């Protein structure tokens, strides 16, 4: 793979925005604690009034993958991604009243769709949001939330996880395959939305 191709894929996948005051902080379901810690940090710094962790568990596993918990201080038994993220948020200073529950989603698209439904039920309008996610998942997460929050500005504030960064993803086969898998999914997941998104 030549240098320009690597640079183009890197710029496409590894989105990274500067956080701004927003209405909410989104967290797509995750067992990676650093993502939720970042969301807590942003909340405690006054960037948003609410945090909405979304997720039941991955449909590929069929349960919360407790074996993937990467910080022993958060070890425990959790039924859902939401429950795990809520625990971390509260441990890091986010009050319970600021945490909005979505605990049924099993993939990235559902994270976005079900989060929108929950917010509609509460009558909360989102004009600007911060999206905290894994760095190599940034583009697909952004596209998922952008699919449902059509009129909102979404700022991606990612966290490097699994040792995969914009500077090294192409250096090892495992990380290379993960990132190229994301490239593939960005096409596969969204090709059918073309007529809807014309506006």
């Amino acid at each position: 793979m030549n240098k320009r191709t690597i640079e183009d894929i890197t710029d496409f996948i590894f989105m990274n925005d500067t956080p701004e005051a927003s209405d909410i902080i989104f967290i797509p379901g995750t067992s990676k604690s650093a993502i939720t810690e970042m969301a807590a940090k942003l909340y405690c710094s006054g960037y948003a009034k609410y945090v909405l962790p979304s997720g039941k568990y991955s449909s590929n596993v069929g349960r919360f993958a407790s074996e993937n918990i990467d910080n022993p201080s958060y070890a425990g038994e959790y039924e859902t991604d939401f429950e795990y993220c809520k625990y971390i948020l509260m441990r890091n200073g986010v009050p319970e009243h600021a945490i909005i529950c979505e605990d049924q989603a099993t993939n990235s698209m559902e994270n976005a769709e079900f989060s929108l439904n929950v917010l509609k039920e509460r009558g909360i309008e989102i004009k600007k949001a911060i999206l905290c996610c894994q760095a190599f998942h940034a583009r697909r997460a952004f596209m998922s939330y952008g699919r449902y929050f059509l009129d909102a500005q979404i700022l991606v504030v990612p966290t490097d996880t699994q040792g995969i960064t914009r500077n090294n993803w192409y250096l090892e086969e495992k990380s290379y395959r993960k990132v190229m898998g994301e490239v593939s999914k960005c096409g596969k997941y969204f090709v059918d939305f073309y007529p809807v998104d014309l506006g």
Side-chain angles (χ1 to χ4, degrees):
M1 187 178 292
N2 64 39
K3 183 178 179 181
R4 180 174 177 181
T5 301
I6 290 172
E7 290 174 348
D8 288 347
I9 291 172
T10 300
D11 289 340
F12 177 69
I13 292 295
F14 291 85
M15 297 181 69
N16 193 342
D17 297 314
T18 300
E20 299 175 5
S22 300
D23 301 304
I24 199 163
I25 299 168
F26 290 126
I27 309 171
T30 183
S31 60
K32 307 306 177 190
S33 59
I35 296 169
T36 306
E37 289 174 339
M38 172 59 75
K41 180 179 179 182
L42 291 168
Y43 174 87
C44 293
S45 297
Y47 280 100
K49 184 178 179 181
Y50 302 108
V51 184
L52 200 170
S54 168
K56 186 176 184 181
Y57 43 65
S58 170
S59 57
N60 295 328
V61 180
R63 59 177 173 78
F64 178 78
S66 57
E67 65 273 16
N68 291 335
I69 294 175
D70 55 3
N71 187 331
S73 66
Y74 301 130
E77 297 297 323
Y78 305 95
E79 293 295 324
T80 64
D81 290 350
F82 167 79
E83 185 182 337
Y84 175 67
C85 291
K86 178 182 177 181
Y87 178 74
I88 296 174
L89 289 170
M90 294 182 68
R91 279 277 303 271
N92 286 273
V94 181
E96 187 171 11
H97 68 76
I99 303 171
I100 298 176
C101 176
E102 193 300 293
D103 60 3
Q104 295 301 308
T106 60
N107 58 52
S108 298
M109 195 70 78
E110 288 183 353
N111 288 144
E113 180 183 3
F114 295 177
S115 292
L116 176 61
N117 293 340
V118 166
L119 291 168
K120 282 184 174 179
E121 289 172 3
R122 289 183 170 228
I124 300 174
E125 183 181 4
I126 303 301
K127 295 181 179 179
K128 184 184 293 187
I130 294 172
L131 177 59
C132 291
C133 59
Q134 298 189 79
F136 69 85
H137 182 230
R139 177 62 66 173
R140 183 158 59 97
F142 172 78
M143 291 174 70
S144 297
Y145 279 81
R147 166 70 183 87
Y148 288 97
F149 293 86
L150 294 173
D151 298 321
Q153 180 182 1
I154 299 173
L155 303 171
V156 182
V157 181
T159 300
D160 291 335
T161 58
Q162 303 184 53
I164 302 172
T165 73
R166 65 179 293 118
N167 297 318
N168 71 9
W169 67 267
Y170 53 88
L171 298 178
E172 293 185 4
E173 183 177 358
K174 183 177 180 180
S175 56
Y176 171 83
R177 287 186 176 278
K178 276 190 175 292
V179 171
M180 294 306 292
E182 288 295 316
V183 174
S184 175
K185 289 174 182 177
C186 284
K188 179 181 178 182
Y189 281 33
F190 299 97
V191 65
D192 292 333
F193 293 133
Y194 173 78
V196 177
D197 290 342
L198 284 177

